[in-house]
Amino acid sequence: MGNILYFDNAATTKPLISAIEKASVYNTEKFYNASALYHNGLEISKELAYSRQIISRSISDDFDVIFTSCGTESDNTAIFSYCKRGNAVTTLGEHSAVHNAFTTLKNNGYDARFATLNKDGSVNINSLLSLIDKNTVFVSVVHVNNETGAVNDINKIAKLVKGINSRIVFHSDGVQAFMKIPYKLCDEIDLYSVSAHKINALKGVGALFKNKKIRNLKPYLIGGGQESGLRSGTENVFGIKVFEYATETHLKTLKTDYSKALELKNEFINGLNLNRFTIISSETSSPYVICLSANGLKGEVLQHMLENDGVIIGTGSACSSKSPHSRMLKSIGYEPSVLDGVIRISFSFETTINEVKTLTTLLNEKVEILLKTMNL
Amino acid sequence: MKKVIIIRWGELHLKGKNRDYFQNLLEENIKKALKDFEYKFVKIIGRYLIEDFLDLEETSILNKLKKVSGIHTASIATSVTTDLDEITKVAVELSKYKRGTFKVETRRAYKEFPMQSTEISRVIGGAILRENDNLSVDVHEPDFTVYIDMRDKNSTLCYTDVIKMMGGMPVGSAAKGMLMISGGIDSPVAGYMMAKRGMKLDAIHFHSYPYTGEAAKEKVITLAKKVSEFTGGMNLFVVPFTEIQEAIHEKCPEEYMITMMRRFMMRISEKVASFHNAQAIITGESLGQVASQTVESINSSNSVATIPVLRPLIAFDKVEIIEIAEKIDTYETSILPYEDCCTVFLPKYPIIKPKLDKVLKVESVLDVDALISRAIQNIEKIEL
C-alpha cells in the first residue's frame, strides 16, 4: 500500500513529529524524577507545572490540571470519586469509559440514571433534567459524541443542572472536543476529561481538568502522592511535554482549522450519493466527525473495500468495535439495517479537500459495486 | 536433593506390541515441546523423568507438558539419595504446611533396601505426625498422600500431588487430519479432541475479503496457533473464498447459500488434504446446532467427500463444547465478533433439510471445477 488516506482521527491521530522531537530531551538529559528533591528533579517539576498551565489555559480560566494515563482514567477517576451515595445521571450517548463505569455502578446496586438522546446523538436536555433530583450528586454529559460528533452545549447544560441542584458535581468527557472545537469551560463545570492522543500527541497521556472550587475529589490511584495526591504514579514527563506542545500548536490555529473542517464536512456530504447513504450526524455536530450509514449494507465490508485502495475509515467507535452494533445508535432507535451499515469518517487538521473528494468518489463507487454483488 | 518432574502415560501400555512405537512418539513429542529448555530426559520403567532443569522454569515446563497428548499424569517430586533420614526430612518438609488427614505410600523398587514398604511408610508417617500438629492419619480416604518412590540406591522420589494431564494418545500415532477451522467456538475444540486421540493436524480456513476482514483472519490464526500447541505445530491454509461466494450468491437460490458453500469448502478441503497427506477431514459440526448441521445438510456436504469426515463434536451440547474451549483457552478469542464468512451472505431462511437431487440441480449452474481450481491456486500457507 502506498500513500494512505486516513479518516479515522476520532480513533487516534498521527503524532506531531515536531512535538516529539522537541520533547525528546525528556527522554535523554532531562530524565529525572519530578518528585525528587535535588535540583534536577525540581527543574522537571517546574516544567510540568508549566505544561499544566498551558493546557489549563487553553480551554479554561485556571482550572487545575491532573495528568492521567488516558481519557478513560480521567473519566473513571471523576465518576468513582463521587458516585458513592445518592444518585448520578449521565446520557446514553457516552463513550464506554463513562457508560461502562455507570453500568458497573448500576450493577452494584447504585442508582445510576441514563438520559435519552436526540436523533443525532446529542442529549435530550429535558430527559436529562427530569432525572435530576435533590439526591443527585453527580452528572456527566459528553461534550462531543465520539460516534456522531453531536455537540452538547455543556456550559448551558451545566448551568441548567446546577439550577436544579447546586451541590451536584458536573463532569464532561471532552476527549473529542478538546483542541477541535473552540470553547471555554464555564464555572459551573467541575471536572473535564481530555486525552492527548486525539490531538496529535501520544497515547498514554490524558488529563482531568478540575475546577478549583471543588475540594473532595478522591484519587483513583493511590501511592506516592504525585499530582497533588490526586493521581499517584511517576509522571510521564515526555508524554506530557508532547501533549503540551501539541496543545500549543493546535491553539494557534484552532479557529481556522475549525472553519476548514466545516468546509471538509460540506464537501463530503455534498459529494456523497445521498440515495445510498443516511447521514446520522446533524448540521450542528462537530465537523471533525461524520457518522453515516450505507443503507442495508455492512459497514465493515465497505471499510475493507476502501482499505484495499489505501483509504482508512472507521466503523463506529474503535473502542466498541468489538460488539457488532453501536450501543448508542441502537438506543436512539435506528433499525438494524441502518446499524449494520454505520461508518464513521473523522478528519484531522491536516485533512485536505482533495483527500475528501477522493473519499467520496470511492465511497460512491464501492457502494454501487457492493449493491450489485449483493443483488440489492 | 533436586527437583524432578515425573511423567506418566496411561493407555500406552495397553498397546501390546506397538508399545515401543507409541512410547517413541511420546518421547519425541515431549522433547519437541521442551525444545526451549535445558533438562535431562530419563526413562525408567513405566515413567519418564525430567531432571536437571532450572528451578524457575518448573512451571513453564509443566505447562508445556500439559499440552502433550499421551501424558496422563505428572508430579513434581524431590529426588534424594535412598537414605531413610534424608527421605524423612523431605517428607516432613512436603507436609509442613498441610492440614487434615494423610497417608504415606511407599513403593520399593530398590529391593536391597532393608525395610519393607509398609514399615517405611509407618516410620515416615510417624515423623510427619511429630512435626505437624494439624495432621492425622487416614489410610482409607486421606486428604493427601505422601508418595515415596524408591528407585535405586541413589534416588528416591518424594511427592504429594498427582497432576492430571491431557491424557489421550501421542500426536502422530493416528495419521494426519485436515481441520476445517472457522473462527467460531467449535472447530478449535474439534481440533483439540482429535489431537488428543493422537492425530497430527493441518488446518484450512476460508476467507472472504472484503466481506470478512483482516481481523477475522488474524482471529483464525490465533485460534489455529492455540490448537497447534497441542499438535506440535501445524500448517494453516487460507483459501480465498470470495469469488465462490459471489458466484453462488449470484446464481443459486438464496436459501441454498450455506449448503453450496459447505460443499465447496468440503471439496477444497479434500483436495488440500490430499496434497498434504491428510487422510481425514475434521469439522466442528454438532448435530442440530444450526441449519447446516442437520443430518440432511451434513449428507449434502458429506457426499462430495471421499475420505472420512470426522466430527468429534457431533453429539456434544454447546455448553460442553464451551467448557472445553475455555479449558484450551480458545473461547475468549472465538467469541470476538468480527464479520464471520457466513454472515454477509446469510440467507433469511436457509434450507434446513436439503434434498441431494435438488442440491445437485442447483449446483449445476456453477462451473465448480474452475472455481475450485482458482481458489486452490491462490491459497496462502501459514506455518504455525
Side-chain angles (χ1 to χ4, degrees), chain A residues 314-329:
Chain A
T315 50
S317 149
C319 297
S320 70
S321 61
K322 281 178 179 159
S323 59
H325 282 161
S326 154
R327 135 181 67 78
M328 182 201 113
L329 296 174

Side-chain angles (χ1 to χ4, degrees), chain A residues 132-153:
Chain A
I132 294 167
D133 56 37
K134 62 179 189 339
N135 294 323
T136 305
V137 295
F138 188 81
V139 172
S140 186
V141 176
V142 66
H143 193 174
V144 170
N145 180 280
N146 60 305
E147 290 182 58
T148 67
V151 181
N152 291 312
D153 185 346

Side-chain angles (χ1 to χ4, degrees), chain A residues 147-160:
Chain A
E147 290 182 58
T148 67
V151 181
N152 291 312
D153 185 346
I154 51 162
N155 283 346
K156 180 175 114 188
I157 294 171
K159 284 180 180 137
L160 291 169

Side-chain angles (χ1 to χ4, degrees), chain B residues 259-378:
Chain B
T259 309
M260 291 298 138
M261 274 169 46
R262 298 292 298 177
R263 284 169 64 86
F264 272 93
M265 289 176 177
M266 195 61 88
R267 287 189 180 102
I268 293 171
S269 299
E270 177 161 318
K271 282 222 156 66
V272 176
S274 78
F275 293 150
H276 296 278
N277 301 319
Q279 296 174 43
I281 291 169
I282 321 295
T283 79
E285 285 161 309
S286 160
L287 194 63
Q289 196 183 96
V290 292
S292 65
Q293 296 179 10
T294 60
V295 170
E296 290 83 350
S297 291
I298 288 174
N299 184 36
S300 100
S301 58
N302 202 70
S303 64
V304 296
T306 59
I307 59 175
V309 180
L310 306 179
R311 301 176 175 86
L313 305 182
I314 197 69
F316 275 57
D317 292 348
K318 195 76 189 181
V319 286
E320 295 169 317
I321 299 172
I322 288 173
E323 218 169 89
I324 301 174
E326 280 172 339
K327 193 173 85 183
I328 64 170
D329 192 31
T330 55
Y331 183 69
E332 289 299 318
T333 309
S334 285
I335 58 173
L336 294 175
Y338 304 116
E339 290 296 349
D340 188 282
C341 75
C342 300
T343 58
V344 177
F345 289 112
L346 203 63
K348 283 192 193 69
Y349 304 103
I351 188 141
I352 292 169
K353 297 179 175 178
K355 296 223 165 53
L356 200 52
D357 53 343
K358 175 75 176 149
V359 169
L360 293 174
K361 211 173 131 200
V362 167
E363 198 174 63
S364 65
V365 299
L366 298 169
D367 189 350
V368 173
D369 292 343
L371 283 168
I372 287 180
S373 88
R374 273 198 296 277
I376 286 181
Q377 271 165 27
N378 293 308

Side-chain angles (χ1 to χ4, degrees), chain A residues 269-288:
Chain A
I269 292 176
N270 292 335
L272 214 57
N273 180 355
L274 292 177
N275 294 322
R276 300 295 191 215
F277 293 97
T278 305
I279 308 286
I280 293 171
S281 301
S282 72
E283 275 176 31
T284 56
S285 71
S286 162
Y288 285 97

Side-chain angles (χ1 to χ4, degrees), chain A residues 11-267:
Chain A
T12 193
T13 54
K14 189 172 149 200
L16 282 171
I17 300 293
S18 59
I20 291 175
E21 281 172 355
K22 198 171 155 194
S24 69
V25 65
Y26 296 95
N27 280 337
T28 52
E29 293 117 80
K30 299 190 177 181
F31 66 90
Y32 301 95
N33 190 320
S35 304
L37 296 179
Y38 37 80
H39 175 76
N40 294 347
L42 289 171
E43 280 302 304
I44 302 293
S45 143
K46 275 193 239 166
E47 308 222 19
L48 286 181
Y50 182 74
S51 302
R52 236 181 276 285
Q53 194 183 2
I54 296 287
I55 291 167
S56 166
R57 293 200 179 148
S58 70
I59 55 161
S60 77
D61 192 12
D62 210 23
F63 271 50
D64 287 335
V65 168
I66 302 153
F67 289 117
T68 63
S69 67
C70 56
T72 299
E73 189 195 327
S74 302
D75 288 338
N76 276 224
T77 302
I79 295 164
F80 291 112
S81 177
Y82 290 100
C83 300
K84 287 173 179 161
R85 51 188 176 79
N87 64 69
V89 180
T90 187
T91 80
L92 285 168
E94 300 296 313
H95 184 272
S96 305
V98 171
H99 184 87
N100 289 342
F102 267 75
T103 50
T104 299
L105 286 167
K106 198 177 166 73
N107 292 340
N108 291 336
Y110 183 75
D111 185 1
R113 306 172 177 183
F114 298 85
T116 57
L117 305 179
N118 301 316
K119 212 73 186 150
D120 67 345
S122 59
V123 64
N124 180 323
I125 295 181
N126 284 328
S127 163
L128 182 84
L129 298 180
S130 72
L131 295 174
I132 294 167
D133 56 37
K134 62 179 189 339
N135 294 323
T136 305
V137 295
F138 188 81
V139 172
S140 186
V141 176
V142 66
H143 193 174
V144 170
N145 180 280
N146 60 305
E147 290 182 58
T148 67
V151 181
N152 291 312
D153 185 346
I154 51 162
N155 283 346
K156 180 175 114 188
I157 294 171
K159 284 180 180 137
L160 291 169
V161 165
K162 298 251 169 142
I164 299 176
N165 177 347
S166 63
R167 284 168 310 172
I168 287 172
V169 172
F170 188 92
H171 167 257
S172 177
D173 178 324
V175 168
Q176 296 292 350
F178 185 67
M179 291 303 110
K180 307 264 175 184
I181 61 175
Y183 62 94
K184 281 270 182 184
L185 301 178
C186 73
D187 212 33
E188 278 74 18
I189 289 171
D190 298 307
L191 294 162
Y192 191 77
S193 307
V194 302
S195 166
H197 75 99
K198 309 284 193 192
I199 65 152
N200 310 86
L202 301 176
K203 292 154 195 79
V205 181
L208 180 61
F209 283 69
K210 176 181 149 308
N211 195 320
K212 286 197 159 51
K213 284 191 306 193
I214 66 157
R215 300 204 170 273
N216 45 357
L217 179 68
K218 299 278 188 300
Y220 194 53
L221 289 184
I222 293 160
Q226 289 88 348
E227 302 295 299
S228 313
L230 291 170
R231 202 284 183 181
S232 288
T234 302
E235 299 86 346
N236 175 357
V237 182
F238 171 68
I240 291 168
K241 290 314 265 188
V242 175
F243 189 19
E244 172 204 323
Y245 301 148
T247 305
E248 230 174 3
T249 308
H250 281 293
L251 205 51
K252 281 182 201 146
T253 55
L254 193 63
K255 285 194 176 129
T256 51
D257 287 343
Y258 183 78
S259 345
K260 209 189 87 191
L262 276 173
E263 283 169 36
L264 297 177
K265 181 180 172 184
N266 286 334
E267 174 64 37

